[in-house]
Structure formats: structure tokens, C-alpha cells
Amino acid sequence: VLVMQSGHITHMGAYGSARLKGEVKADTKTNYRLASLSKQFTATAALLLVKQGKLSLDTKLTEIFSDFPQYGREITLKHLLSHQSGLRDYEGLIPGGQTQQVLDADVLQMMKRQTSGYFQPGSQYKYSNSGYCVLGEIVTKVSGESYAEFAKKNIFEPLGMFRTVLYEKGISQVHDRAYGHSPSGGGFSETDQSVTSATLGDGGVYTSVEDWIQWERGLEKADSLGEEMQKLVFTPAVLNNGSKTSYGFGWMLDTFRGYTRHHHTGSTIGFRTAVQRLPQKENLTVVVLVNRANASPWSIAERILDLYL
């Protein structure tokens, strides 16, 4: 658990086990799989390429991948970032019984085999893991290096997040790694990996609350993107009909107790995560990372916010 306000740590603690096997205790350096909290990093990586002039928010999928089907001519980078692309959920396209893990590149190929999305891009909001896996592949294609390497060089290392990693089996390593668990027979079994645990763009970041301190301070100073572009990150996206959604670029947006709130949750086999920020309360931020499938980090974070409010 991490609580920060105005860039200062007001509480940081670790509880329970990083891994039940071997009785490995969790500490504040323990790295948890973030699941969908990773999307804010993927969005930042894509926007850095916009900042560098290598992409624009209006760049279309077919401009990046020339072999993408016709329906990609209407899907822009902005649609992908704000969940307005209409791309089909890759989880539903994985053949039954498949045991080989799916990669972002596989998701892109799945999308290329489709002839249409769920709806006209920009006409609806529909949360899309597929869209963020495709964003990871866009970063790889446009930058000329893997998304994991690009994020390491352009986000993690510049901010001092030296132990944060987009984990790729056989390529990178997670130091002080937490392993996921699920209730089983009155106890717990280790449920750390599934077929969808190897994608990066939608949920592949491992980090600790200690490294998150640097990320939060970077957000406060807009270190990665600059103030103008970071403002877009926390601005509700607009649909074709002019109505606003409750999502920016990698962040969900709403209000809590009358205050503007930036937030996100993450859920994958054996892990549950949550972050909530109140920018109007000196960036009061709560991060809760749990390596247990039946945990409720969202409600824990709200109860902590209530204590401070």
C-alpha cells in the first residue's frame, strides 16, 4: 500500500506474502503484476511518439500497418487510447484449449483476420484490451525497438523506476517478484500465469510501491509528456456525437466525494490492483497492489481516501 500527497509519502507498507511457497514475505520492494494499471504506461509510450513527431493522434491503423484490413482506415491512435476503436476482444478469439501464451503480436494478427469491429470507431466507448495490445505493437513498429525496451529507456529509467519491467519470459526478469494466488480448498493455490498473462500493452508491467513513488512524482511534474500533452491524458475523451466519456488516455475519470478523481483497476489471474488520485486534494494518491484473486483493492483504496478526507 502507498499513500502520497503533494509528492510526499504519507504511508507506505507491505503486508502478507509475496509467495506462499517458501513463505516469502512481501515488502515495499516487491514487484506485483499491475494488470490494467499498465495501460497508463502504454498510453504514455504512445504519446511520447506523438511528442517526438513520429505519430499524431489522428494517425490511422492502416498508416502504421499497411496490411491491416479496410476497417482499420477509420481507427485512429486517439480511438485506441480512449477505448473507442471497436476492436474485437482478443480473449474471445483464442481457440479453446490453447495453452501457449498470447503475445501482443498475436493479438495484432487476430485483429488483422477480422473484417470489422463492434461499431463505427468513435461512436461508442467500449473498454478494449485488444486496443492496448495493438498500441504496444504500434510503439514497437514506430520506435524500431520493442515496447518493453522503449518503455525502459524513455519512461522507467528517466524517472528512476529501475526495478520496473514489462516482463517477457526468457528475455527479462522480475526482481523480488510477487506470485499470484487464488482460493483453493480452504487455502490458496499459486495461480500466477494464464494464456493471457504474456501480453504487455494491456497489462504487462511489474512494479513495486517504492517505484510507484517515482511515477507519481513524475505525473505531478508532467516529467514524461510535458504539461500540455499530459492534460490530454486526464481529459475525458469525446465521442463523434459530442458526448464525453469517463476515460482519458490510460486513466478512468470521475468524481469522489465531490473531488475530481483519476483512477484505474487491474485484474488478472492471481492479482488485483487499484490506484486512485484526487488532483484537487494536493494529488492525494492511494495505490493498492494485491497478489490474491479474491481481493478488493478498490474498496481498500476508497476507505483510505475517506480516512484522509
Side-chain angles (χ1 to χ4, degrees), residues 2-45:
L2 172 69
V3 186
M4 295 182 69
Q5 194 165 24
S6 297
H8 301 292
I9 304 161
T10 59
H11 178 82
M12 182 167 62
Y15 313 90
S17 300
R19 192 176 193 181
L20 291 176
K21 182 180 179 181
E23 299 182 352
V24 181
K25 294 298 182 184
D27 62 32
T28 55
K29 289 183 172 63
T30 301
N31 286 300
Y32 292 75
R33 180 175 166 86
L34 292 185
S36 285
L37 266 62
S38 303
K39 288 183 171 68
Q40 58 199 271
F41 297 99
T42 306
T44 298

Side-chain angles (χ1 to χ4, degrees), residues 43-44 47 51 57 78 81-82 218-238 244 247-253 260-262 277 279 283:
T44 298
L47 291 169
K51 185 179 178 183
L57 292 176
K78 186 175 182 179
L81 287 164
S82 57
L219 288 176
E220 288 198 14
K221 299 175 184 177
D223 283 339
S224 295
L225 294 173
E227 290 185 13
E228 185 177 347
M229 188 161 289
Q230 183 163 291
K231 187 177 179 181
L232 294 175
V233 169
F234 296 120
T235 299
V238 179
K244 292 182 179 180
Y247 204 94
F249 295 158
W251 286 87
M252 296 177 178
L253 311 168
T260 295
R261 175 167 62 178
H262 308 153
R277 301 178 78 240
N283 290 312

Side-chain angles (χ1 to χ4, degrees), residues 87-96 98 102 107 110-111 114 118 129-130 195-196:
L87 288 178
R88 298 187 181 277
D89 290 334
Y90 75 86
E91 294 95 331
L93 299 173
I94 300 172
Q98 177 170 323
V102 176
V107 175
M110 290 180 195
M111 298 304 107
Q114 309 307 305
Y118 290 123
N129 285 314
S130 298
V195 173
T196 59

Side-chain angles (χ1 to χ4, degrees), residues 41 44-45 48 52 54 139 143-162 164-166 223-224:
F41 297 99
T44 298
L48 279 171
Q52 294 169 10
K54 296 177 180 178
V139 173
S143 71
E145 55 189 330
S146 72
Y147 167 40
E149 277 300 310
F150 181 85
K152 179 182 179 181
K153 294 178 184 177
N154 294 275
I155 302 173
F156 303 146
E157 288 184 346
L159 291 176
M161 302 172 69
F162 297 113
T164 299
V165 63
L166 277 154
D223 283 339
S224 295

Side-chain angles (χ1 to χ4, degrees), residues 27-304:
D27 62 32
T28 55
K29 289 183 172 63
T30 301
N31 286 300
Y32 292 75
R33 180 175 166 86
L34 292 185
S36 285
L37 266 62
S38 303
K39 288 183 171 68
Q40 58 199 271
F41 297 99
T42 306
T44 298
L47 291 169
L48 279 171
L49 292 172
V50 174
K51 185 179 178 183
Q52 294 169 10
K54 296 177 180 178
L55 286 171
S56 83
L57 292 176
D58 296 321
T59 301
K60 297 174 174 59
L61 263 183
T62 49
E63 296 178 62
I64 302 167
F65 304 110
S66 59
D67 60 339
F68 202 93
Q70 185 81 357
Y71 77 95
R73 290 182 63 184
E74 298 182 72
I75 299 173
T76 65
L77 187 71
K78 186 175 182 179
H79 290 146
L80 293 167
L81 287 164
S82 57
H83 298 292
Q84 298 181 45
S85 69
L87 288 178
R88 298 187 181 277
D89 290 334
Y90 75 86
E91 294 95 331
L93 299 173
I94 300 172
Q98 177 170 323
T99 56
Q100 183 176 351
Q101 288 189 315
V102 176
L103 305 177
D104 288 350
D106 299 321
V107 175
L108 178 60
Q109 291 306 313
M110 290 180 195
M111 298 304 107
K112 288 180 179 180
R113 290 195 290 269
Q114 309 307 305
T115 57
S116 65
Y118 290 123
F119 50 78
Q120 180 83 13
S123 66
Q124 297 181 40
Y125 167 87
K126 181 177 174 60
Y127 190 85
S128 176
N129 285 314
S130 298
Y132 268 75
C133 289
V134 170
L135 281 169
E137 284 298 286
I138 288 173
V139 173
T140 296
K141 175 74 182 294
V142 175
S143 71
E145 55 189 330
S146 72
Y147 167 40
E149 277 300 310
F150 181 85
K152 179 182 179 181
K153 294 178 184 177
N154 294 275
I155 302 173
F156 303 146
E157 288 184 346
L159 291 176
M161 302 172 69
F162 297 113
R163 295 160 61 82
T164 299
V165 63
L166 277 154
Y167 172 62
E168 298 170 285
K169 187 175 181 179
I171 298 176
S172 53
Q173 183 179 353
V174 183
H175 298 285
D176 297 320
R177 177 176 173 178
Y179 286 79
H181 300 78
S182 296
S184 176
F188 290 91
S189 60
E190 192 166 290
T191 55
D192 187 69
Q193 294 285 300
S194 72
V195 173
T196 59
S197 291
T199 54
L200 301 184
D202 63 339
V205 174
Y206 276 80
T207 196
S208 65
V209 288
E210 286 199 13
D211 264 17
W212 196 285
I213 294 166
Q214 308 308 321
W215 176 238
E216 171 57 29
R217 287 173 176 165
L219 288 176
E220 288 198 14
K221 299 175 184 177
D223 283 339
S224 295
L225 294 173
E227 290 185 13
E228 185 177 347
M229 188 161 289
Q230 183 163 291
K231 187 177 179 181
L232 294 175
V233 169
F234 296 120
T235 299
V238 179
L239 299 177
N240 294 342
N241 64 8
S243 61
K244 292 182 179 180
T245 71
S246 57
Y247 204 94
F249 295 158
W251 286 87
M252 296 177 178
L253 311 168
D254 65 4
T255 59
F256 179 75
R257 307 286 189 255
Y259 297 103
T260 295
R261 175 167 62 178
H262 308 153
H263 64 92
H264 220 292
T265 57
S267 176
T268 186
I269 185 169
F271 291 90
R272 298 293 184 270
T273 59
V275 59
Q276 301 192 31
R277 301 178 78 240
L278 302 183
Q280 295 166 324
K281 289 296 290 182
E282 293 79 46
N283 290 312
L284 175 60
T285 298
V286 179
V287 182
V288 183
L289 310 177
V290 191
N291 57 331
R292 181 162 56 86
N294 64 334
S296 301
W298 176 262
S299 60
I300 294 171
E302 284 200 338
R303 279 160 32 212
I304 293 171

